[in-house]
Amino acid sequence: MNTPLVAVTMGDGAGVGPEVVVRALAEPETRALCRPLVVGDLVRLRDAARICGVDVELRAVAGPEDATFAPGTIEVLDLDLLPEGLPYGELSAVAGDAAYQYVRVACELAVAGRVQAICTAPLNKRALHAGGHPFPGHTELLAELCGIEEVSMMLATPTVRVIHVTTHIGLIDAIERIDEGLVERTVRRGHATLRDSGIEAPRIGVCGINPHAGEDGLFGRGEEEEKIVPAVRRCQDDGIDARGPLPADTAFFLAGRGDYDLIVAMYHDQGHAPVKVLGLEAGVNITVGLPVIRTSVDHGTAFDIAGTGTADAGSMIEALRQAATLAPSPAPDRASDRASDPASSPAPDPGASPSRG
């Protein structure tokens, strides 16, 4: 099959990343959707396979062109950055730096066109900072590596999708940063992403900032009229089905029953809290606005269970499926020897992705 090549970063080696990567890539369902190449540490991944009881062959390769993607094999671009016996579940500057390097190499592969998407296992922000890389998270890190000034975080579950106008900043700072231009650009990025995934006319609900979306000026200082209403109107003028500002509690209820394909949240917790209630195990983080496709699990490094073999790989499997769905088909001259005519290979069903119920 002419399936997309996906660079899968191992995440923080002291967390559950190695375990969920090995579990997910051992699944035939995953291998039918994409050709995965792990960017990480071979020894750590072999240890994760042992811990999880996963019977696969882990093999080092020099790059995606050398991978065969044979059944029962997980191929690894081995950066060999972690010391042998690194403790699981403990904060490590070495693991934080390694997690950064995995993302850097995966990003270079994607920008060069050697892979069609990136799928990331979780990193630990404190470890990342301790390792000398003061980024708030993957989203900002990838934007820097790709030379992009502004990207958006989209979370997707089987019930609802949400894209954020602001993410990893304090609430007071978020309200100050939100303006009509940023709201409009976020709506447009979300609309374009859903169209690319196969939803022809996405229905987008835009949250307000204040309780009850300001209640006609009763709550707040007119932020909805100043920052959100003009942005929504400009999007509507261009044929985008965007509605709002909506009270956030109502917006997520309506999205949960299928009235909206996407909710635009104004700040981190307005979007994250409902998503995690509605589908944490199957949640996926998608970075919107990069020149490459990037998806990720919607959970952290889970130091409390790392190294026990009990981590659930459901979110990683869904993240890989979303990466395969959103990624462009590889060019024929980059396809593997066993690639067939793309026209004869069924694409992943966009309707099965988190959308209308």
Side-chain angles (χ1 to χ4, degrees), residues 42-172:
L42 183 63
V43 171
R44 195 60 162 188
L45 289 159
R46 283 178 173 160
D47 191 51
R50 176 191 62 80
I51 290 168
C52 295
V54 175
D55 184 18
V56 293
E57 178 188 356
L58 285 126
R59 186 172 76 90
V61 295
E65 297 81 7
D66 300 315
T68 63
F69 308 104
T73 301
I74 296 175
E75 283 153 320
V76 183
L77 184 54
D78 181 20
L79 300 193
D80 190 22
L81 297 173
L82 299 180
E84 188 174 350
L86 177 79
Y88 286 98
E90 295 182 14
L91 188 75
S92 163
V94 173
D97 175 58
Y100 169 85
Q101 302 301 337
Y102 306 149
V103 175
R104 177 187 60 78
V105 171
C107 192
E108 289 172 358
L109 291 173
V111 170
R114 297 171 68 191
V115 299
Q116 282 76 53
I118 299 170
C119 184
T120 59
L123 51 73
N124 183 282
K125 295 179 180 65
R126 288 176 59 205
L128 184 70
H129 289 196
H133 310 287
F135 293 93
H138 267 120
T139 303
E140 296 82 4
L141 168 56
L142 282 157
E144 174 76 15
L145 290 171
C146 290
I148 302 298
E149 291 188 6
E150 187 176 283
V151 296
S152 298
M153 177 189 294
M154 179 185 290
L155 302 180
T157 76
T159 311
V160 65
R161 288 187 181 93
V162 56
I163 189 169
H164 294 69
V165 175
T166 65
T167 50
H168 296 119
I169 56 175
L171 183 56
I172 292 174

Side-chain angles (χ1 to χ4, degrees), residues 154-290:
M154 179 185 290
L155 302 180
T157 76
T159 311
V160 65
R161 288 187 181 93
V162 56
I163 189 169
H164 294 69
V165 175
T166 65
T167 50
H168 296 119
I169 56 175
L171 183 56
I172 292 174
D173 296 327
I175 293 170
E176 185 174 315
R177 181 174 297 182
I178 295 166
D179 61 31
E180 59 183 273
L182 180 56
V183 172
E184 180 182 353
R185 293 191 298 274
T186 304
V187 173
R188 291 182 184 275
R189 278 192 286 268
H191 178 264
T193 299
L194 294 198
R195 281 184 55 85
D196 288 345
S197 71
I199 300 176
E200 187 174 339
R203 299 163 297 175
I204 301 173
V206 182
C207 290
I209 296 172
N210 297 294
H212 302 283
E215 194 80 56
D216 295 323
L218 183 62
F219 305 124
R221 300 177 181 178
E223 289 88 353
E224 281 75 18
E225 286 296 323
E226 176 189 347
K227 300 170 180 281
I228 300 175
V229 170
V232 171
R233 285 177 178 163
R234 280 198 293 271
C235 290
Q236 290 172 340
D237 289 344
D238 284 343
I240 296 174
D241 185 1
R243 308 171 198 178
L246 305 171
D249 52 356
T250 303
F252 281 98
F253 168 75
L254 295 174
R257 75 179 189 187
D259 290 10
Y260 292 109
D261 300 300
L262 177 68
I263 295 296
V264 180
M266 293 296 125
Y267 51 89
H268 184 281
D269 285 9
Q270 188 182 62
H272 274 63
V275 164
K276 293 194 174 185
V277 168
L278 290 169
L280 175 60
E281 291 80 8
V284 176
N285 184 332
I286 303 168
T287 305
V288 177
L290 292 173

Side-chain angles (χ1 to χ4, degrees), residues 16-25 52 121-122 297 299 311-313 316-317:
V16 297
E19 295 164 68
V20 298
V21 166
V22 168
R23 282 190 187 278
L25 296 189
C52 295
V297 297
H299 61 71
D312 190 309
M316 175 57 76
I317 292 170

